[in-house]
């Protein structure tokens, strides 16, 4: 059985959105592979890992339990020897996970043609695909040549909401500038444009309540067939558990068909 594949940018991804699903997959007995643009180890956004946000750290910083999970992830042999996007074939992976992040380095994933190809490959054969936050932008930009449309066209999804994005930006823009604005257009706006109907986008609760490993109900996800999406790090424990269930169902179906 091929491994579960996590796509990472050169740098600046969110540690929670990568490590919490990784840990859940590993705990469920799945082999996890990593891939980066050039096949070099890639590390998460330093501000989210160690630098913090001054007085806003309690609200914006990665939680200690999730940082501990990230610390375990980056010690793994598969993490330290990732594949390059361009070297991966469809048969090399069984499921695909795309975390997000908002600092500039994440663009090396979101704008990468080889990463977009992998997304199209996965959707064409209905492999489990999960994306969170800015990671959904990669899917919105992945155009299937058979339809000339995004793989999200006709799908229901969520992603980082405009409300969450602009709130974080307003809180920090006087001293961090556009740190929280990866692009001039919000994630939600671009994702909605890729959909068959803008109303196929779901925002969930406007209250930014984070879930935990033992209290998953505050998390929000959208499941559409083999595709699972979430909005931000605060959804990731629920997101991780549901992705494990999706992968397990896919494997069981493959073994019995």
């Amino acid at each position: 059985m091929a491994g579960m594949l996590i796509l990472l940018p050169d740098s600046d991804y969110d540690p929670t959105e990568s490590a919490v699903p990784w840990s859940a997959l590993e705990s469920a007995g799945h082999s996890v592979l990593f891939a980066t643009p050039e096949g070099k180890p890639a590390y998460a956004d330093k501000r989210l890992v160690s630098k913090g946000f001054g007085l806003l750290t309690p609200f914006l910083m990665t939680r200690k339990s999730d940082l501990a999970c990230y610390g375990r992830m980056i010690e793994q042999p598969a993490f330290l020897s990732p594949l390059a996007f361009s070297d991966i074939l469809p048969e090399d992976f069984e499921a695909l996970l795309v975390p997000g992040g908002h600092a500039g380095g994440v663009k090396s994933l979101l704008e990468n043609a080889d990463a977009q190809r992998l997304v199209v490959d996965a959707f064409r054969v209905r492999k489990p695909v999960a994306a969170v936050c800015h990671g959904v932008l990669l899917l919105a930009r992945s155009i299937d040549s058979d339809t000339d449309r995004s793989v999200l066209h006709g799908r229901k999804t969520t992603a980082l909401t405009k409300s969450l994005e602009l709130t974080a930006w307003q809180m920090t823009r006087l001293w961090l500038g556009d740190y929280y604005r990866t692009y001039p257009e919000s994630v939600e706006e671009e994702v909605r444009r890729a959909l068959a109907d803008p109303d196929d986008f779901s925002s969930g609760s406007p209250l930014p309540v984070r879930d935990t490993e033992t209290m998953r109900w505050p998390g929000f996800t959208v499941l559409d067939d083999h595709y699972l999406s979430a909005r931000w790090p605060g959804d990731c424990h629920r997101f991780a558990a549901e992705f494990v269930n999706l992968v397990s169902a896919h494997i069981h179906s493959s073994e019995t068909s």
Side-chain angles (χ1 to χ4, degrees):
M1 182 70 68
M4 311 298 123
L5 181 64
I6 298 179
L7 300 183
L8 298 176
D10 287 328
S11 62
D12 287 340
Y13 57 91
D14 187 284
T16 300
E17 295 171 3
S18 54
V20 169
W22 163 79
S23 180
L25 289 167
E26 285 276 316
S27 296
H30 299 296
S31 173
V32 180
L33 307 172
F34 295 88
T36 63
E38 303 297 331
K40 300 176 182 179
Y43 295 90
D45 184 346
K46 292 181 180 179
R47 186 168 293 280
L48 292 171
V49 173
S50 57
K51 292 176 68 175
F53 297 84
L55 294 176
L56 294 177
T57 289
F59 304 99
L60 300 176
M61 185 65 172
T62 306
R63 290 174 296 187
K64 290 182 179 180
S65 59
D66 298 339
L67 280 176
C69 192
Y70 171 73
R72 295 192 299 272
M73 184 182 80
I74 63 176
E75 294 176 346
Q76 302 305 306
F79 177 89
L80 295 171
S81 299
L83 304 167
F85 292 161
S86 59
D87 292 337
I88 302 172
L89 300 174
E91 58 267 26
D92 292 335
F93 64 96
E94 190 67 24
L96 188 65
L97 174 71
V98 188
H102 45 263
V106 76
K107 293 180 181 180
S108 63
L109 169 62
L110 304 181
E111 300 173 5
N112 189 287
D114 287 313
Q116 294 169 10
R117 170 185 58 82
L118 293 172
V119 169
V120 172
D121 289 341
F123 269 83
R124 281 179 172 173
V125 295
R126 299 183 65 253
K127 292 182 179 182
V129 176
V132 54
C133 197
H134 281 66
V136 181
L137 279 181
L138 177 66
L139 279 57
R141 297 172 178 181
S142 297
I143 307 302
D144 189 333
S145 60
D146 291 342
T147 63
D148 290 325
R149 291 173 171 168
S150 167
V151 297
L152 293 185
H153 190 88
R155 298 282 180 181
K156 296 186 182 301
T157 190
T158 190
L160 180 65
T161 64
K162 186 175 181 179
S163 174
L164 284 169
E165 185 173 356
L166 294 186
T167 297
W169 176 67
Q170 291 285 5
M171 290 171 66
T172 60
R173 66 187 180 92
L174 293 180
W175 56 291
L176 291 181
D178 286 339
Y179 170 76
Y180 271 106
R181 294 301 305 274
T182 312
Y183 297 101
E185 184 178 36
S186 73
V187 171
E188 178 179 337
E189 288 169 329
E190 182 173 345
V191 170
R192 282 183 183 270
R193 285 195 292 104
L195 304 178
D197 184 337
D199 288 340
D200 286 339
F201 186 97
S202 297
S203 299
S205 171
L207 298 176
V209 180
R210 293 176 181 258
D211 66 6
T212 68
E213 186 173 1
T214 57
M215 189 177 72
R216 297 173 184 161
W217 64 263
F220 178 75
T221 61
V222 173
L223 177 62
D224 186 334
D225 193 29
H226 63 98
Y227 166 54
L228 178 71
S229 57
R231 304 167 301 175
W232 70 309
D235 296 329
C236 279
H237 287 280
R238 176 174 178 170
F239 174 70
E242 292 188 357
F243 188 49
V244 168
N245 291 339
L246 182 61
V247 167
S248 298
H250 172 76
I251 292 174
H252 178 73
S253 176
S254 298
E255 291 174 344
T256 58
S257 61

